[in-house]
Amino acid sequence: MNLLPKSSKEFGSVDYWEKFFQQRGKKAFEWYGTYLELCGVLHKYIKPRERVLVIGCGNSELSEQLYDVGYQDIVNIDISEAVIKQMKERNASRRPQMSFLKMDMTQMEFPDASFQVVLDKGTLDAVLTDEEEKTLQQVDRMLAEVGRVLQVGGRYLCISLAQAHILKKAVGHFSREGWMVRVHQVASSQDEVLEAEPRFSLPVFAFIMTKFRPVPGSALQIFELCAQEQGKPVRLESAERLAEAVRERQQYAWLCSQLRRKAGLGSVSLDLCSGDTGEPRYTLHVVDSPTVKPSRDNHFAIFIIPQGRETEWLFGMEEGRKQLAASAGFRRLITVALHRGQQYDGMDSVQAELSTRVMELAPAGMPPQQQVPFLSVGGDIGVRTVQHQDRSPLSGDYVIEDVQGDDRRYFRRLIFLSNRNVVQSEARLLKEVSHRAQKKRKKDKKKQRPADTPEDLPPAPGQSIDKSYLCCEHHKAMIAGLALLRNPELLLETPLALLVVGLGGGSLPLFVHDHFPKSRVDAVEIDPSMLEVATRWFGFAQSERMKVHIADGLDYISSLAGGEAPPLYDIIMFDVDSKDPTLGMSCPPPTFVDQPFLQKVRNILTHEGVFILNLVCRDAALKDSVLAGLKAVFPVLYVRRIEGEVNEILFCRLHAGQKLATPELLEKAQALERTLRKPGRGWDDSYVLSDMLKTVKIV
């Protein structure tokens, strides 16, 4: 028996509803959920002694169940004579104080201010089937009547799917009347979360419109969103922002329904936000492994990424997450990154906070009551301490933070918040400083201090940073490029002139300065804020052999190359990022590899010199174009891909006769390393120069 209308317009027809309830008989029809699913939000906004009007009651059991738990002053109206007759017969003896009346809700017969609550479960959705003038006029009459029969301080509580045109109409009408507007998402039951086919692809919401006494001349409008039954409402600045927030939750519900139905949707990520502030609190990535054979215990797992490690390849890149999921052995793995600026009390509290929400992302076929394991590295959520946060006029907001690495050592990082998953600069802290910071954190934890509260006084730059250690693999490869120079075993005694474009935290020029005592380094940085960051937080210092020039690298090199007697450099390094995220190449900016500019670079390079470039390009066609342009200016071009990263280091030389085979490159790197490893040089034993050149390819 088909009870659904041929067209949504039939929902507004009296004849349709007469036929509907005659065909359905006495079996209750529950729009948008049963009493058990709605009782949390109903009890929150309706008091037992209040007088309640239910409009479009149908044959739902909702009024009866409210009556049975103490809400006994309830009046029900419906336009269908058949259903009113059914409901009177069903409740005459058991619920004598509850009344059922045949009445048109657009022309109600009650006196003004007769009720404290008007309850609507799906009626507005049924009437507002389109935005034609006739329909909108009918809805205007309905809402005007709701406002008329409510007392000041009373509430219109409407259960709805909050489709865009319905939300726009309801919010617009009542906000213009000066009412407080709140939209409250109704929590799904656990059974519905695990259903393969949920009853609605959209989540259910409750509109709570509170009638205020009109204030002449007042333009005050109040919009609030409550995301959970017991959550605190969040105040929003406009009706448009409220509609956007509802739409985000609908999109999330749609995503959950798709993930329940099938696996392998591709790269899926989403943010879970704080119910109190609306700020992102967790970032989730859903990774399916279709090749894993299903068993009872390997359907689903959650992996908590330790704080500060979300930028690592294994956690921060899609290929890395796929590798992690495959090694974990689950059909679906969800990785969870914790946001800076949020406070977390430990693994147990994170699990408790996420346990219900992540179940909405469980795969189809997962057994009921299945225990979902939470995985991590070392069993904890890691340590992240924000030391400093500021804004640069050129680079935007940035943060300096100390994080604990895989080996329990601590690392200091510079992060631009416009690209928060990329580490701009990184340095390892000395062990004694790390230990001191760890003891301080334990003491702070006892005082209930937030995990990322800034330190009052930073450690002295020269004492905190391990200057012998290069954290970034692409920096290690760039330093290895010095082995391409003539007689690398003599470089420590040879005057070297280096130009480094892009300072960041200063670790690259600082490493050259400290390990090559005859070197002279010119560093060019466009952002003066970065010089301050490097000096204060990363142990950088200028000297007679180390000068920083605050300038645009393009202008600086153009000026040098255009001089009568341009200075010549043995090494020129580009490690400069693009500020435009829309480009397919994030390092360097495309103008740095234009052929006319590359000719200027060539003009300030010595005959035996090496031009070293950090290239980050995801666009294959653009990368081919860049390589072709470089090859046109520099006949010898080597490429070294950084494993697990997008970075490629390019080594460029001026003359075809300087081309070396891989064995020769390795021999030169080993010669340089033997010199650098001599006692007293402070060389990092884990850094093997020749390893950086093993996979070099000639273009």
Side-chain angles (χ1 to χ4, degrees), residues 59-88:
N59 67 354
S60 166
E61 296 176 346
L62 182 65
S63 296
E64 298 164 331
Q65 290 164 324
L66 280 170
Y67 186 98
D68 292 344
V69 296
Y71 296 82
Q72 298 193 350
D73 195 355
I74 301 177
V75 178
N76 302 270
I77 66 170
D78 199 281
I79 202 169
S80 168
E81 189 171 348
V83 79
I84 291 297
K85 183 180 177 183
Q86 284 180 25
M87 298 303 283
K88 282 182 175 179

Side-chain angles (χ1 to χ4, degrees), residues 215-353:
V215 179
S218 173
L220 178 65
Q221 293 183 320
I222 300 175
F223 304 99
E224 293 183 341
L225 178 73
C226 201
Q228 317 169 50
E229 282 186 7
Q230 302 305 323
K232 295 179 181 178
V234 176
R235 185 72 56 90
L236 301 171
E237 62 273 14
S238 65
E240 291 75 19
R241 180 64 190 96
L242 178 62
E244 182 184 347
V246 169
R247 187 165 58 251
E248 288 169 354
R249 281 151 181 80
Q250 291 168 333
Q251 291 169 345
Y252 173 73
W254 178 87
L255 174 63
C256 291
S257 70
Q258 295 300 304
L259 288 170
R260 281 194 293 272
R261 290 171 184 164
K262 56 187 177 182
L265 290 178
S267 179
V268 176
S269 65
L270 60 148
D271 285 340
L272 297 182
C273 299
S274 167
D276 295 332
T277 66
E279 293 294 320
R281 184 161 170 80
Y282 300 100
T283 294
L284 278 56
H285 284 87
V286 181
V287 189
D288 287 328
S289 299
T291 57
V292 174
K293 293 182 179 180
S295 67
R296 178 172 177 79
D297 298 325
N298 77 341
H299 285 272
F300 189 39
I302 315 300
F303 190 98
I304 307 297
I305 302 170
Q307 294 181 88
R309 299 190 59 188
E310 63 277 357
T311 57
E312 295 179 17
W313 178 81
L314 191 64
F315 309 125
M317 301 295 288
E318 185 177 355
E319 289 302 315
R321 290 189 291 269
K322 286 181 179 178
Q323 180 176 310
L324 177 66
S327 63
F330 288 88
R331 287 175 53 214
R332 174 170 291 166
L333 183 73
I334 294 182
T335 65
V336 180
L338 282 59
H339 278 245
R340 65 179 58 82
Q342 297 284 323
Q343 183 174 346
Y344 306 94
D345 294 329
M347 181 63 81
D348 290 344
S349 70
V350 169
Q351 289 186 26
E353 191 175 354

Side-chain angles (χ1 to χ4, degrees), residues 453-505:
T453 299
E455 301 279 352
D456 293 330
L457 291 172
Q463 297 173 352
S464 63
I465 302 299
D466 184 349
K467 299 178 187 179
S468 70
Y469 186 82
L470 283 174
C471 294
C472 302
E473 287 298 304
H474 70 275
H475 281 176
K476 292 180 180 180
M478 293 177 82
I479 293 295
L482 273 68
L484 275 67
L485 294 171
R486 178 182 293 180
N487 300 323
E489 68 279 3
L490 302 178
L491 287 184
L492 271 64
E493 304 302 324
T494 304
L496 289 176
L498 291 93
L499 175 64
V500 180
V501 180
L503 178 67

Side-chain angles (χ1 to χ4, degrees), residues 513-514 519-521 540-548:
H513 174 274
D514 289 355
S519 63
R520 175 180 57 81
V521 183
F540 182 81
Q542 298 190 65
S543 70
E544 288 296 320
R545 296 191 295 110
M546 171 85 81
K547 300 295 183 183
V548 176

